[in-house]
Amino acid sequence: MLQREAGSGRSRIITVANQKGGVGKTTTAINLATALAAIGERVLVIDLDPQGNASTGLGIDRSDRILSSYDVLTGAKPLQDVARETAVPNLFIVPSTMDLLGVEMEISNTRDRVVRLRNALAAPGAATFGYVLIDCPPSLNLLTINAMTAAHSVLVPLQCEFFALEGLSQLLETVGHVRSTLNPSLEIQGVVLTMYDSRNNLARQVVDDVRAYLGEKVYRTLIPRNVRVSEAPSYGKPAILYDLNCSGSQAYLQLASEVIQRERHTRAA
């Protein structure tokens, strides 16, 4: 069974969340997952966004998504029956479909509505992954609450723009609420600054402001604006597969190293 308490088992569940769209959330989820798989970790991505961009970015065509995270949340299928291989060795995905748009209405009146995903991950046969990364929709809805309730930690992508900190306090409040009511082991794994342009004075100021506000919670790695990273999803590939040597891919490899270091520190604590 997947271990629920931080540091108590090998499997680690990380929710990638930000209610603001266009911050590189899905790009971060799939490239971090690819980097972890590349160093030998067995990784599962759970796509909880009805838009299904993580599924597309990992090469799963929409016409080929017979089973999805919708089936997991409604209890129609166990997670291990829905998880499928990707082109990346050691990397698996539970794909998403537009059916997720209706799942909140379907399960909203059930007693276990906020623990559906946690229960699915705790079921016999689901605990075969070193890391589980959950890609959330750009909103703080029941899908995101399910993800946070199931997770050990939350990773927050934050775009290097003027309104970077706008809405972050709401996200942190939601994490605090989930921690106090549903999942006492939930932590902020870290905040990753995305779409960074070193030529832009504003971007540098944002980095300084976010680090002054959040301190050590902000990763050292900055994810740069990079054309190759933007192109990769249209080819159904993570940037790390599309162009390993581009600056964006190299940054995600560095981010994976930081994530692993933090996880080791958490487990040792």
Side-chain angles (χ1 to χ4, degrees):
M1 190 180 290
L2 284 180
Q3 301 297 313
R4 294 294 302 120
E5 293 299 320
S8 60
R10 180 177 182 274
S11 298
R12 296 291 293 174
I13 306 169
I14 302 173
T15 288
V16 183
N18 189 326
Q19 75 271 27
K20 194 170 188 295
V23 299
K25 176 180 57 62
T26 297
T27 300
T28 296
I30 64 176
N31 282 288
L32 176 58
T34 302
L36 291 168
I39 61 171
E41 293 286 353
R42 185 174 168 88
V43 183
L44 174 67
V45 172
I46 299 178
D47 191 348
L48 279 193
D49 188 343
Q51 296 177 83
N53 291 335
S55 306
T56 301
L58 286 173
I60 310 299
D61 191 83
R62 292 187 183 276
S63 63
D64 194 29
R65 302 175 199 175
I66 308 303
L67 298 176
S68 71
S69 51
Y70 170 86
D71 298 288
V72 175
L73 290 173
T74 59
K77 292 289 182 181
L79 183 138
Q80 64 268 28
D81 286 0
V82 181
R84 54 188 293 177
E85 294 182 28
T86 70
V88 181
N90 297 321
L91 180 55
F92 298 76
I93 187 168
V94 171
S96 165
T97 63
M98 294 297 286
D99 290 338
L100 274 181
L101 288 171
V103 76
E104 190 161 355
M105 185 176 297
E106 289 188 43
I107 69 174
S108 62
N109 293 322
T110 63
R111 274 183 157 182
D112 63 346
R113 60 188 176 275
V114 296
V115 295
R116 289 291 184 99
L117 186 57
R118 181 171 75 184
N119 292 343
L121 283 163
T128 61
F129 302 98
Y131 284 91
V132 177
L133 271 62
I134 307 170
D135 186 39
C136 294
S139 58
L140 297 177
N141 59 13
L142 185 56
L143 293 171
T144 302
I145 299 301
N146 257 271
M148 290 186 182
T149 303
H152 295 98
S153 60
V154 179
L155 189 155
V156 184
L158 206 62
Q159 186 177 355
C160 291
E161 61 168 15
F162 182 71
F163 294 112
L165 291 172
E166 186 178 281
L168 181 62
S169 59
Q170 184 184 0
L171 177 62
L172 297 179
E173 285 175 12
T174 300
V175 171
H177 177 71
V178 172
R179 183 191 299 118
S180 63
T181 59
L182 298 166
N183 183 2
S185 67
L186 186 66
E187 320 176 314
I188 299 292
Q189 217 283 345
V191 174
V192 57
L193 291 162
T194 62
M195 304 181 190
Y196 176 69
D197 185 347
S198 61
R199 300 166 300 178
N200 188 321
N201 290 333
L202 175 60
R204 292 197 296 270
Q205 185 62 52
V206 168
V207 171
D208 292 341
D209 289 348
V210 173
R211 286 185 169 153
Y213 180 58
L214 294 170
E216 293 300 314
K217 285 296 182 184
V218 183
Y219 296 105
R220 295 186 304 274
T221 301
L222 299 172
I223 307 299
R225 283 193 179 276
N226 185 256
V227 173
R228 303 295 277 174
V229 170
S230 301
E231 289 175 349
S234 64
Y235 292 88
K237 294 180 179 181
I240 290 172
L241 277 191
Y242 180 63
D243 185 350
L244 176 61
N245 296 316
C246 74
S247 60
S249 295
Q250 291 299 305
Y252 278 116
L253 291 171
Q254 292 172 20
L255 176 64
S257 177
E258 281 199 73
V259 168
I260 290 170
Q261 289 173 16
R262 292 194 182 193
E263 290 295 332
R264 286 175 178 165
H265 178 77
T266 297
R267 295 180 197 194

